[in-house]
Amino acid sequence: MAGETVLVVGGAGYIGSHTCLDLANKGFKPIVFDNFSNGHREFVKWGPAEEGDIRDRARLDEVLAKHKPAAILHFAALIEVGESVKDPVAFYENNVIGTLTLLAAAQAAGVKAFVFSSTCATYGLPQSVPLDETHRQVPINPYGRTKYIVEQALADYDRYTGFRSVVLRYFNAAGADFEGRIGEWHQPETHAIPLAIDAALGRREGFKVFGTDYETRDGTCVRDYIHVLDLADAHVRAVEHLLRGGESIALNLGTGTGTTVKELLSTIERVSERPFPVEYAGRREGDSHTLVANNDKAREILGWTPQYDLSQIIRSAWNWHAKSNQH
């Protein structure tokens, strides 16, 4: 499989760029397709870039004809839950209509392998923890619903047209390339680790914790933080699975280990050696108290095992934000 071309849609973004790095390290040829609305041209380092939008069928056809990829990795989505509530139309236009346009172009071009970036938000409020892939899917916001709609479409495409795909449901992506070449860079930033690191760096006044009275070991929410390079590795393994003729499947990507907000903040203080102000506030509507993955299926199907623990996640993120961040 080495030498195969892979079209990485949204490859200039956070997870997409780290996956391009992993693809290149494993002998694939990544081609970035991005409209650069949220991605960064500076992150295109391991192959050429083609500028375009997933809603533009003519541009997709042109790029697919030019590069003839064996597989497509699809990361191009609007992801901010709060924004999905404020502007659901934009999320349906990009995440649903854009993805269906991309799928039509992929089928027409004869692409045989499609890996979709999904989310644990498709599960909604957890009925049991850790969550496995059989957990009911009842998303509670437009972001989660748009991802779930695409998952249903992919299941139908497989069932009725033989178009095979791997759906990867992320838990909390975190960390950065250990060499500091790329990392997390969202505008605006809404994720806990970069916000807390910015507080430790003095770029923010402090960090706000929402909810201290949950039924968890210290009262704060529990999340499953997974290193972005572990996510990237899983995506490349998913491509290899499909190119070997593997069947369509949906898989959780998490470590299986939960971390409370207080534990996260203490790890950041320990790694950075910089205490920072923390404000405690009431619960935030829609927050689940615990989101932790059961990742047995990904281990079994892909032979995938997360390599990095929370301290390594924080050290790589600290290195990126402290030294290399473009802000």
Side-chain angles (χ1 to χ4, degrees):
M1 276 179 256
E4 293 276 23
T5 297
V6 178
L7 187 69
V8 185
V9 180
Y14 174 43
I15 301 170
S17 60
H18 285 83
T19 304
C20 287
L21 166 60
D22 198 59
L23 283 164
N25 284 343
K26 291 172 180 170
F28 289 91
K29 295 178 181 176
I31 310 293
V32 170
F33 184 89
D34 206 297
N35 67 5
F36 297 103
S37 60
N38 293 308
H40 309 286
R41 294 180 195 278
E42 300 95 319
F43 283 9
V44 181
K45 297 175 182 287
W46 294 280
E50 296 282 2
E51 187 164 358
D53 193 287
I54 55 174
R55 294 165 289 187
D56 185 345
R57 174 63 189 273
R59 181 63 178 139
L60 286 168
D61 288 343
E62 182 183 355
V63 170
L64 288 165
K66 177 179 176 182
H67 294 286
K68 297 179 175 56
I72 292 176
L73 285 159
H74 177 29
F75 298 97
L78 300 178
I79 63 167
E80 217 285 295
V81 170
E83 283 302 311
S84 81
V85 174
K86 294 177 190 172
D87 188 7
V89 174
F91 278 70
Y92 279 89
E93 285 182 347
N94 186 88
N95 296 4
V96 178
I97 295 172
T99 301
L100 295 178
T101 304
L102 174 62
L103 285 169
Q107 285 186 298
V111 174
K112 301 299 184 188
F114 190 91
V115 179
F116 177 57
S117 163
S118 193
T119 169
C120 64
T122 65
Y123 293 124
L125 298 174
Q127 305 297 299
S128 58
V129 178
L131 289 89
D132 68 19
E133 291 83 355
T134 65
H135 188 286
R136 69 176 196 173
Q137 290 180 282
V138 188
I140 60 171
N141 51 61
Y143 165 63
R145 277 190 285 276
T146 60
K147 292 287 192 175
Y148 182 46
I149 288 168
V150 172
E151 287 198 19
Q152 291 175 298
L154 287 169
D156 280 341
Y157 284 32
D158 175 58
R159 186 177 300 116
Y160 301 114
T161 74
F163 185 81
R164 291 174 305 117
S165 61
V166 174
V167 167
L168 298 175
R169 297 177 188 143
Y170 308 165
F171 281 66
N172 287 61
D177 163 44
F178 285 93
E179 294 182 33
R181 293 165 291 184
I182 51 176
E184 192 164 7
W185 179 12
H186 298 117
Q187 294 172 315
E189 186 55 73
T190 60
H191 293 169
I193 289 174
L195 290 176
I197 286 175
D198 276 351
L201 288 166
R203 295 174 181 165
R204 301 174 59 84
E205 290 186 3
F207 184 88
K208 183 178 284 190
V209 176
F210 294 97
T212 58
D213 58 349
Y214 288 103
E215 292 182 12
T216 61
R217 53 186 170 269
D218 62 21
T220 61
C221 287
V222 174
R223 293 294 181 265
D224 186 338
Y225 294 96
I226 179 159
H227 200 288
V228 65
L229 291 176
D230 281 326
L231 284 180
D233 175 48
H235 283 79
V236 179
R237 289 172 182 265
V239 167
E240 293 169 339
H241 165 80
L242 291 170
L243 292 180
R244 284 194 302 265
E247 295 182 355
S248 294
I249 193 130
L251 302 169
N252 287 339
L253 295 183
T255 64
T257 301
T259 300
T260 70
V261 178
K262 286 183 178 178
E263 289 165 351
L264 178 72
L265 298 179
S266 68
T267 304
I268 292 170
E269 286 202 356
R270 187 180 75 249
V271 169
S272 69
E273 299 181 341
R274 296 192 190 190
F276 52 91
V278 176
E279 176 188 348
Y280 293 96
R283 295 186 183 190
R284 191 167 50 184
E285 185 180 355
D287 275 348
S288 299
H289 64 78
T290 303
L291 287 173
V292 178
N294 177 319
N295 63 14
D296 291 348
K297 202 170 179 182
R299 290 172 183 264
E300 176 192 346
I301 301 294
L302 302 181
W304 171 80
T305 305
Q307 300 298 306
Y308 303 109
D309 63 17
L310 184 65
S311 290
Q312 291 167 300
I313 287 171
I314 300 304
R315 287 184 194 285
S316 66
W318 176 261
N319 179 51
W320 161 252
H321 288 286
K323 298 176 183 174
S324 308
N325 203 341
Q326 313 287 344
H327 284 225

